[in-house]
Amino acid sequence: MCNYCGCRSFPLIGRLTEEHEAIINAAGRLRSAIAASGGEPAGALEALDALRALLTPHTVTEESGLFAELRAEGSLADEVDKLCAEHEDIHQVLATVDRAAPDWAPVLAALDRLRRHIDAEEHGLFPAAVIALPMPAWDRLTPSTARVGDGEPGSAG
């Protein structure tokens, strides 16, 4: 993951990056389980379920938070649309595995796409988002950072 631009200092991006690391680790465990399955898919299916349990809420957070703000801002909307289409594609592949007789080739290809997708977010979208989004957008994405006097209940404003 990227450590050079400082975008991780934004709480949401820091959280998404931590989730990316967990997702990459889970994808690696799935790859290993597939390689070791030898016709017995139980371990690989368990690893698939663990990956999906991390990926689904992560995608929801990205799309309903950061991506929504970027769409509203406009300059990165095409990139956001592309990333959302990749989310849909990867989720579709992982959700439609035949659990009785899994075909792992499409899953392995989806894991390759997932890795490229995460790289695009980490090294492209996240640093660009820091530049593109105004501070009020970041305040909406990080409500716990509301400042004293900005109209919140109990504030001095």
Coordinates of all heavy atoms in Angstrom, one line a residue, residues 46-124:
E46 N -14.6 -22.0 2.7 CA -14.6 -21.2 4.0 C -13.7 -19.9 3.8 O -14.1 -18.8 4.2 CB -13.9 -22.1 5.1 CG -13.9 -21.4 6.4 CD -13.3 -22.3 7.5 OE1 -13.8 -23.5 7.6 OE2 -12.4 -21.9 8.2
A47 N -12.6 -20.0 3.0 CA -11.8 -18.9 2.8 C -12.6 -17.9 1.8 O -12.4 -16.7 2.0 CB -10.5 -19.3 2.1
L48 N -13.3 -18.4 0.9 CA -14.2 -17.6 0.0 C -15.2 -16.8 0.9 O -15.3 -15.6 0.7 CB -14.9 -18.4 -1.0 CG -15.9 -17.7 -1.9 CD1 -15.3 -16.7 -2.8 CD2 -16.7 -18.7 -2.7
D49 N -15.8 -17.5 1.8 CA -16.8 -16.8 2.6 C -16.2 -15.7 3.5 O -16.7 -14.6 3.7 CB -17.5 -17.8 3.5 CG -18.4 -18.8 2.7 OD1 -18.8 -18.5 1.6 OD2 -18.7 -19.8 3.3
A50 N -15.0 -16.0 4.0 CA -14.3 -15.0 4.8 C -13.9 -13.8 4.0 O -14.0 -12.6 4.5 CB -13.0 -15.6 5.4
L51 N -13.5 -14.0 2.8 CA -13.2 -12.8 1.9 C -14.4 -12.0 1.6 O -14.4 -10.8 1.7 CB -12.5 -13.3 0.6 CG -12.3 -12.2 -0.5 CD1 -11.4 -11.1 0.0 CD2 -11.8 -12.9 -1.8
R52 N -15.5 -12.7 1.3 CA -16.7 -12.0 1.0 C -17.2 -11.2 2.2 O -17.8 -10.1 2.1 CB -17.8 -12.9 0.5 CG -17.5 -13.5 -0.9 CD -18.6 -14.4 -1.4 NE -19.8 -13.6 -1.6 CZ -21.0 -14.1 -1.4 NH1 -21.2 -15.4 -1.1 NH2 -22.1 -13.4 -1.6
A53 N -17.0 -11.7 3.4 CA -17.5 -11.1 4.6 C -16.7 -9.8 4.8 O -17.2 -8.8 5.4 CB -17.3 -12.0 5.8
L54 N -15.5 -9.7 4.4 CA -14.7 -8.4 4.4 C -15.0 -7.5 3.3 O -15.1 -6.3 3.4 CB -13.2 -8.8 4.4 CG -12.6 -9.5 5.6 CD1 -11.2 -9.9 5.3 CD2 -12.7 -8.7 6.8
L55 N -15.2 -8.1 2.1 CA -15.3 -7.3 0.9 C -16.7 -6.6 0.8 O -16.7 -5.4 0.4 CB -15.1 -8.2 -0.3 CG -14.9 -7.5 -1.7 CD1 -13.7 -6.6 -1.6 CD2 -14.7 -8.6 -2.7
T56 N -17.7 -7.2 1.2 CA -19.1 -6.6 1.0 C -19.2 -5.3 1.8 O -19.6 -4.3 1.2 CB -20.2 -7.7 1.4 OG1 -20.0 -8.8 0.5 CG2 -21.5 -7.1 1.3
P57 N -19.0 -5.3 3.1 CA -19.1 -4.0 3.9 C -18.1 -3.0 3.4 O -18.4 -1.8 3.4 CB -19.0 -4.4 5.3 CG -18.3 -5.7 5.3 CD -18.6 -6.4 4.0
H58 N -17.0 -3.4 3.0 CA -16.0 -2.5 2.5 C -16.5 -1.7 1.3 O -16.4 -0.5 1.2 CB -14.6 -3.2 2.2 CG -13.6 -2.3 1.5 ND1 -12.8 -1.5 2.2 CD2 -13.3 -2.2 0.2 CE1 -12.0 -0.9 1.3 NE2 -12.3 -1.3 0.1
T59 N -17.0 -2.5 0.3 CA -17.5 -1.9 -0.9 C -18.7 -0.9 -0.6 O -18.8 0.1 -1.2 CB -18.0 -3.0 -1.8 OG1 -16.9 -3.9 -2.1 CG2 -18.5 -2.5 -3.1
V60 N -19.6 -1.3 0.3 CA -20.7 -0.4 0.7 C -20.1 0.9 1.2 O -20.6 2.0 0.9 CB -21.6 -1.1 1.7 CG1 -22.6 -0.2 2.3 CG2 -22.3 -2.3 1.0
T61 N -19.1 0.8 2.1 CA -18.5 2.0 2.7 C -17.9 2.9 1.6 O -18.2 4.1 1.6 CB -17.4 1.6 3.7 OG1 -18.0 0.9 4.8 CG2 -16.8 2.9 4.3
E62 N -17.2 2.3 0.7 CA -16.6 3.1 -0.4 C -17.7 3.8 -1.2 O -17.6 5.0 -1.5 CB -15.8 2.2 -1.3 CG -14.4 1.9 -0.8 CD -13.5 1.1 -1.7 OE1 -14.1 0.4 -2.6 OE2 -12.3 1.2 -1.6
E63 N -18.7 3.0 -1.7 CA -19.6 3.5 -2.6 C -20.6 4.5 -2.0 O -21.0 5.4 -2.7 CB -20.4 2.3 -3.3 CG -19.5 1.5 -4.2 CD -20.3 0.5 -5.0 OE1 -21.5 0.3 -4.9 OE2 -19.6 -0.3 -5.7
S64 N -21.0 4.3 -0.8 CA -21.9 5.2 -0.1 C -21.2 6.4 0.5 O -21.9 7.4 0.8 CB -22.7 4.5 0.9 OG -21.9 4.0 2.0
G65 N -19.9 6.4 0.7 CA -19.2 7.5 1.3 C -18.3 8.2 0.3 O -18.8 9.1 -0.4
L66 N -17.1 7.7 0.2 CA -16.1 8.4 -0.6 C -16.5 8.5 -2.1 O -16.5 9.6 -2.7 CB -14.8 7.7 -0.5 CG -13.6 8.3 -1.3 CD1 -13.3 9.7 -0.8 CD2 -12.4 7.4 -1.3
F67 N -17.0 7.4 -2.6 CA -17.4 7.5 -4.1 C -18.6 8.4 -4.3 O -18.6 9.1 -5.3 CB -17.7 6.1 -4.6 CG -16.6 5.1 -4.7 CD1 -15.3 5.4 -4.2 CD2 -16.7 3.9 -5.4 CE1 -14.2 4.6 -4.3 CE2 -15.7 3.1 -5.5 CZ -14.4 3.4 -5.0
A68 N -19.5 8.5 -3.4 CA -20.7 9.4 -3.5 C -20.2 10.8 -3.5 O -20.7 11.6 -4.3 CB -21.7 9.1 -2.4
E69 N -19.3 11.1 -2.6 CA -18.7 12.5 -2.6 C -18.0 12.8 -3.9 O -18.1 13.9 -4.4 CB -17.8 12.7 -1.4 CG -18.6 12.7 0.0 CD -19.4 14.0 0.2 OE1 -19.2 15.0 -0.6 OE2 -20.2 14.0 1.1
L70 N -17.2 11.9 -4.4 CA -16.4 12.1 -5.6 C -17.4 12.3 -6.8 O -17.1 13.1 -7.7 CB -15.4 11.0 -5.8 CG -14.2 11.0 -4.9 CD1 -13.5 9.7 -5.0 CD2 -13.4 12.2 -5.1
R71 N -18.4 11.5 -6.8 CA -19.4 11.7 -7.9 C -20.0 13.1 -7.9 O -20.2 13.7 -8.9 CB -20.5 10.6 -7.8 CG -20.2 9.4 -8.6 CD -21.6 8.6 -8.8 NE -21.2 7.4 -9.5 CZ -21.2 6.2 -8.9 NH1 -21.5 6.1 -7.6 NH2 -20.9 5.1 -9.6
A72 N -20.4 13.5 -6.7 CA -21.0 14.8 -6.5 C -20.0 15.9 -6.9 O -20.4 16.9 -7.5 CB -21.4 15.0 -5.1
E73 N -18.7 15.8 -6.6 CA -17.7 16.7 -6.9 C -17.5 16.8 -8.5 O -17.3 17.8 -9.1 CB -16.4 16.4 -6.2 CG -15.3 17.4 -6.4 CD -14.5 17.2 -7.7 OE1 -14.4 16.1 -8.1 OE2 -14.0 18.2 -8.2
G74 N -17.5 15.6 -9.1 CA -17.5 15.5 -10.6 C -16.3 15.2 -11.3 O -16.3 14.5 -12.3
S75 N -15.1 15.6 -10.8 CA -13.9 15.5 -11.6 C -13.4 14.1 -11.8 O -12.7 13.7 -12.7 CB -12.8 16.4 -11.1 OG -12.4 16.0 -9.8
L76 N -13.8 13.2 -10.8 CA -13.4 11.8 -10.8 C -14.5 10.8 -11.1 O -14.4 9.6 -10.8 CB -12.6 11.5 -9.5 CG -11.3 12.2 -9.3 CD1 -10.8 12.0 -7.9 CD2 -10.3 11.8 -10.4
A77 N -15.7 11.4 -11.5 CA -16.9 10.5 -11.6 C -16.7 9.4 -12.6 O -17.2 8.2 -12.3 CB -18.1 11.4 -12.1
D78 N -16.0 9.5 -13.7 CA -15.7 8.4 -14.6 C -14.9 7.3 -14.0 O -15.2 6.1 -14.1 CB -15.1 8.9 -15.9 CG -16.0 9.8 -16.8 OD1 -17.2 9.7 -16.6 OD2 -15.4 10.5 -17.7
E79 N -13.9 7.7 -13.2 CA -13.1 6.7 -12.5 C -13.9 6.0 -11.5 O -13.8 4.8 -11.3 CB -11.8 7.4 -11.9 CG -10.9 6.4 -11.2 CD -10.2 5.4 -12.2 OE1 -10.2 5.6 -13.4 OE2 -9.8 4.4 -11.6
V80 N -14.7 6.7 -10.8 CA -15.6 6.1 -9.7 C -16.5 5.1 -10.4 O -16.7 4.0 -9.9 CB -16.4 7.2 -9.0 CG1 -17.5 6.6 -8.1 CG2 -15.4 8.0 -8.1
D81 N -17.1 5.5 -11.5 CA -18.0 4.6 -12.3 C -17.3 3.3 -12.7 O -17.8 2.2 -12.5 CB -18.6 5.2 -13.5 CG -19.6 6.3 -13.2 OD1 -20.1 6.3 -12.0 OD2 -19.9 7.1 -14.1
K82 N -16.1 3.4 -13.1 CA -15.3 2.3 -13.5 C -15.0 1.4 -12.3 O -15.1 0.1 -12.4 CB -13.9 2.7 -14.1 CG -13.0 1.6 -14.5 CD -11.7 2.2 -15.0 CE -10.7 1.0 -15.1 NZ -9.3 1.4 -14.7
L83 N -14.6 2.0 -11.2 CA -14.4 1.2 -10.0 C -15.6 0.5 -9.4 O -15.6 -0.6 -9.0 CB -13.7 2.1 -8.9 CG -12.3 2.6 -9.2 CD1 -11.9 3.7 -8.2 CD2 -11.3 1.4 -9.2
C84 N -16.8 1.2 -9.5 CA -18.0 0.6 -9.1 C -18.4 -0.6 -10.0 O -18.9 -1.7 -9.5 CB -19.2 1.6 -9.1 SG -19.0 2.8 -7.7
A85 N -18.1 -0.5 -11.3 CA -18.4 -1.6 -12.2 C -17.4 -2.8 -11.9 O -17.9 -4.0 -11.9 CB -18.1 -1.2 -13.7
E86 N -16.2 -2.5 -11.5 CA -15.3 -3.6 -11.0 C -15.8 -4.2 -9.7 O -15.7 -5.5 -9.6 CB -13.9 -3.0 -10.8 CG -13.2 -2.6 -12.1 CD -11.9 -1.9 -12.0 OE1 -11.4 -1.8 -10.8 OE2 -11.3 -1.6 -13.0
H87 N -16.3 -3.4 -8.8 CA -16.9 -4.0 -7.6 C -18.0 -5.0 -8.0 O -18.0 -6.1 -7.5 CB -17.5 -2.9 -6.7 CG -16.6 -2.0 -6.0 ND1 -17.0 -0.9 -5.4 CD2 -15.3 -2.1 -5.7 CE1 -16.0 -0.3 -4.7 NE2 -15.0 -1.0 -4.9
E88 N -18.9 -4.6 -8.8 CA -20.0 -5.4 -9.2 C -19.5 -6.7 -9.9 O -20.0 -7.8 -9.5 CB -20.9 -4.7 -10.2 CG -22.2 -5.4 -10.5 CD -23.1 -4.6 -11.4 OE1 -23.2 -3.4 -11.2 OE2 -23.8 -5.2 -12.3
D89 N -18.5 -6.6 -10.7 CA -18.0 -7.8 -11.4 C -17.4 -8.8 -10.4 O -17.7 -10.0 -10.5 CB -16.9 -7.3 -12.5 CG -16.1 -8.5 -13.0 OD1 -16.7 -9.4 -13.6 OD2 -14.9 -8.5 -12.8
I90 N -16.5 -8.3 -9.6 CA -15.8 -9.1 -8.6 C -16.8 -9.8 -7.6 O -16.8 -11.0 -7.4 CB -14.7 -8.3 -7.8 CG1 -13.6 -7.9 -8.8 CG2 -14.2 -9.1 -6.6 CD1 -12.7 -6.9 -8.3
H91 N -17.8 -9.0 -7.1 CA -18.8 -9.5 -6.2 C -19.6 -10.6 -6.9 O -19.9 -11.7 -6.3 CB -19.7 -8.4 -5.7 CG -19.1 -7.6 -4.6 ND1 -19.0 -8.1 -3.3 CD2 -18.6 -6.4 -4.6 CE1 -18.5 -7.1 -2.6 NE2 -18.2 -6.1 -3.4
Q92 N -19.9 -10.4 -8.2 CA -20.8 -11.4 -9.0 C -20.0 -12.7 -9.1 O -20.6 -13.8 -8.8 CB -21.1 -10.8 -10.3 CG -21.9 -11.7 -11.2 CD -23.3 -12.0 -10.7 OE1 -23.8 -11.2 -10.0 NE2 -23.9 -13.0 -11.2
V93 N -18.7 -12.6 -9.4 CA -18.0 -13.9 -9.5 C -17.9 -14.6 -8.2 O -18.2 -15.8 -8.1 CB -16.5 -13.6 -10.1 CG1 -15.7 -14.8 -10.0 CG2 -16.6 -13.1 -11.5
L94 N -17.6 -13.9 -7.1 CA -17.5 -14.5 -5.8 C -18.8 -15.1 -5.3 O -18.8 -16.1 -4.6 CB -16.8 -13.6 -4.9 CG -15.4 -13.1 -5.2 CD1 -14.9 -12.1 -4.1 CD2 -14.4 -14.2 -5.5
A95 N -19.9 -14.4 -5.7 CA -21.2 -14.8 -5.1 C -21.8 -16.0 -5.9 O -22.7 -16.6 -5.4 CB -22.1 -13.6 -5.2
T96 N -21.3 -16.3 -7.1 CA -22.0 -17.3 -7.9 C -21.1 -18.6 -8.0 O -21.4 -19.4 -8.9 CB -22.3 -16.8 -9.3 OG1 -21.1 -16.3 -9.9 CG2 -23.3 -15.6 -9.2
V97 N -20.2 -18.8 -7.1 CA -19.4 -20.0 -7.1 C -20.4 -21.2 -6.8 O -21.2 -21.1 -5.8 CB -18.3 -20.0 -6.1 CG1 -17.6 -21.3 -5.9 CG2 -17.3 -18.9 -6.5
D98 N -20.3 -22.2 -7.6 CA -21.1 -23.4 -7.4 C -20.5 -24.2 -6.2 O -19.4 -24.7 -6.4 CB -21.1 -24.3 -8.7 CG -21.9 -25.6 -8.5 OD1 -22.2 -26.0 -7.3 OD2 -22.1 -26.3 -9.5
R99 N -21.1 -24.1 -5.1 CA -20.5 -24.7 -3.9 C -20.4 -26.2 -3.9 O -19.5 -26.8 -3.2 CB -21.3 -24.2 -2.7 CG -21.2 -22.7 -2.5 CD -21.9 -22.1 -1.3 NE -21.2 -22.3 -0.1 CZ -20.2 -21.6 0.4 NH1 -19.8 -20.5 -0.3 NH2 -19.7 -21.8 1.5
A100 N -21.2 -26.9 -4.7 CA -21.1 -28.3 -4.9 C -19.9 -28.8 -5.8 O -19.3 -29.8 -5.5 CB -22.4 -28.9 -5.4
A101 N -19.6 -27.9 -6.8 CA -18.6 -28.3 -7.7 C -17.9 -26.9 -8.2 O -18.1 -26.5 -9.3 CB -19.1 -29.0 -8.9
P102 N -17.1 -26.3 -7.3 CA -16.6 -25.0 -7.7 C -15.6 -25.0 -8.8 O -14.8 -25.9 -8.9 CB -15.9 -24.6 -6.4 CG -15.9 -25.7 -5.4 CD -16.7 -26.8 -6.0
D103 N -15.8 -24.0 -9.7 CA -14.8 -23.8 -10.8 C -14.0 -22.6 -10.3 O -14.4 -21.5 -10.2 CB -15.5 -23.5 -12.1 CG -14.6 -23.1 -13.2 OD1 -13.3 -23.3 -13.0 OD2 -15.1 -22.7 -14.3
W104 N -12.7 -22.9 -9.9 CA -11.9 -21.9 -9.3 C -11.2 -20.9 -10.2 O -10.8 -19.9 -9.8 CB -10.9 -22.5 -8.3 CG -11.5 -23.2 -7.2 CD1 -11.4 -24.6 -6.9 CD2 -12.3 -22.7 -6.1 NE1 -12.1 -24.9 -5.7 CE2 -12.6 -23.7 -5.2 CE3 -12.7 -21.4 -5.8 CZ2 -13.4 -23.5 -4.1 CZ3 -13.5 -21.2 -4.7 CH2 -13.8 -22.2 -3.9
A105 N -11.2 -21.3 -11.5 CA -10.5 -20.4 -12.5 C -11.1 -19.0 -12.5 O -10.4 -18.0 -12.5 CB -10.5 -21.1 -13.9
P106 N -12.4 -18.9 -12.6 CA -13.0 -17.5 -12.6 C -12.7 -16.8 -11.3 O -12.5 -15.5 -11.3 CB -14.5 -17.7 -12.8 CG -14.6 -19.0 -13.4 CD -13.5 -19.8 -12.9
V107 N -12.7 -17.5 -10.2 CA -12.4 -16.9 -8.9 C -10.9 -16.4 -8.8 O -10.7 -15.2 -8.4 CB -12.6 -17.9 -7.7 CG1 -12.2 -17.3 -6.4 CG2 -14.1 -18.2 -7.7
L108 N -10.0 -17.2 -9.3 CA -8.6 -16.7 -9.4 C -8.4 -15.5 -10.3 O -7.7 -14.6 -9.9 CB -7.7 -17.9 -9.8 CG -7.6 -19.1 -8.8 CD1 -6.9 -20.2 -9.4 CD2 -7.0 -18.6 -7.5
A109 N -9.1 -15.5 -11.4 CA -9.1 -14.3 -12.3 C -9.7 -13.1 -11.6 O -9.1 -12.0 -11.7 CB -9.8 -14.6 -13.6
A110 N -10.8 -13.3 -10.8 CA -11.4 -12.2 -10.1 C -10.4 -11.7 -9.0 O -10.4 -10.5 -8.7 CB -12.7 -12.6 -9.5
L111 N -9.7 -12.6 -8.4 CA -8.7 -12.1 -7.4 C -7.6 -11.3 -8.0 O -7.1 -10.3 -7.4 CB -8.1 -13.4 -6.6 CG -9.1 -14.2 -5.8 CD1 -8.4 -15.3 -5.1 CD2 -9.8 -13.3 -4.8
D112 N -7.2 -11.7 -9.2 CA -6.2 -10.8 -9.9 C -6.8 -9.4 -10.2 O -6.1 -8.4 -10.0 CB -5.8 -11.5 -11.3 CG -5.0 -12.7 -11.1 OD1 -4.4 -12.9 -10.0 OD2 -4.9 -13.5 -12.1
R113 N -8.0 -9.4 -10.6 CA -8.7 -8.1 -10.9 C -8.8 -7.3 -9.6 O -8.7 -6.1 -9.6 CB -10.1 -8.3 -11.6 CG -10.0 -8.8 -13.0 CD -11.2 -8.7 -13.8 NE -12.4 -9.4 -13.2 CZ -12.6 -10.7 -13.3 NH1 -11.8 -11.5 -13.9 NH2 -13.7 -11.3 -12.7
L114 N -9.1 -8.0 -8.5 CA -9.3 -7.4 -7.2 C -8.0 -6.7 -6.8 O -8.0 -5.5 -6.3 CB -9.7 -8.4 -6.1 CG -9.8 -7.9 -4.7 CD1 -10.8 -6.8 -4.6 CD2 -10.2 -9.0 -3.8
R115 N -6.9 -7.4 -7.0 CA -5.6 -6.8 -6.6 C -5.3 -5.5 -7.5 O -4.9 -4.5 -6.9 CB -4.5 -7.8 -6.8 CG -3.1 -7.3 -6.5 CD -3.1 -6.9 -5.0 NE -1.9 -6.1 -4.8 CZ -1.2 -6.1 -3.6 NH1 -1.7 -6.8 -2.6 NH2 -0.2 -5.3 -3.5
R116 N -5.6 -5.6 -8.8 CA -5.4 -4.4 -9.6 C -6.3 -3.3 -9.2 O -5.9 -2.1 -9.2 CB -5.6 -4.8 -11.1 CG -4.4 -5.6 -11.7 CD -4.5 -5.7 -13.2 NE -5.7 -6.3 -13.6 CZ -5.9 -7.7 -13.8 NH1 -5.0 -8.5 -13.5 NH2 -7.1 -8.1 -14.2
H117 N -7.5 -3.6 -8.8 CA -8.5 -2.7 -8.4 C -8.1 -1.9 -7.1 O -8.1 -0.7 -7.1 CB -9.9 -3.4 -8.1 CG -10.9 -2.6 -7.5 ND1 -11.8 -1.9 -8.2 CD2 -11.2 -2.4 -6.2 CE1 -12.6 -1.2 -7.4 NE2 -12.3 -1.5 -6.2
I118 N -7.6 -2.7 -6.2 CA -7.1 -2.1 -4.9 C -5.9 -1.2 -5.2 O -5.8 -0.1 -4.7 CB -6.8 -3.2 -3.9 CG1 -8.1 -3.8 -3.4 CG2 -5.9 -2.6 -2.7 CD1 -7.9 -5.0 -2.5
D119 N -5.0 -1.6 -6.1 CA -3.9 -0.8 -6.5 C -4.3 0.5 -7.1 O -3.8 1.6 -6.8 CB -2.9 -1.5 -7.4 CG -2.1 -2.6 -6.8 OD1 -1.9 -2.6 -5.5 OD2 -1.5 -3.4 -7.5
A120 N -5.3 0.5 -7.9 CA -5.9 1.7 -8.6 C -6.5 2.6 -7.5 O -6.3 3.9 -7.6 CB -6.9 1.3 -9.6
E121 N -7.1 2.1 -6.5 CA -7.7 2.9 -5.5 C -6.6 3.5 -4.6 O -6.5 4.7 -4.4 CB -8.6 2.2 -4.6 CG -9.9 1.8 -5.3 CD -10.9 1.0 -4.5 OE1 -10.6 0.5 -3.4 OE2 -12.1 0.9 -4.9
E122 N -5.6 2.7 -4.2 CA -4.6 3.1 -3.3 C -3.6 4.1 -3.9 O -3.2 5.1 -3.3 CB -3.8 1.9 -2.8 CG -4.5 1.0 -1.9 CD -4.7 1.6 -0.5 OE1 -3.8 2.4 0.0 OE2 -5.7 1.3 0.2
H123 N -3.3 3.9 -5.2 CA -2.2 4.7 -5.8 C -2.8 5.8 -6.8 O -2.1 6.6 -7.3 CB -1.2 3.8 -6.6 CG -0.5 2.9 -5.6 ND1 -0.8 1.6 -5.5 CD2 0.5 3.2 -4.7 CE1 0.0 1.1 -4.6 NE2 0.7 2.0 -4.1
G124 N -4.1 5.7 -7.0 CA -4.7 6.7 -7.9 C -5.9 7.4 -7.3 O -5.8 8.6 -7.1

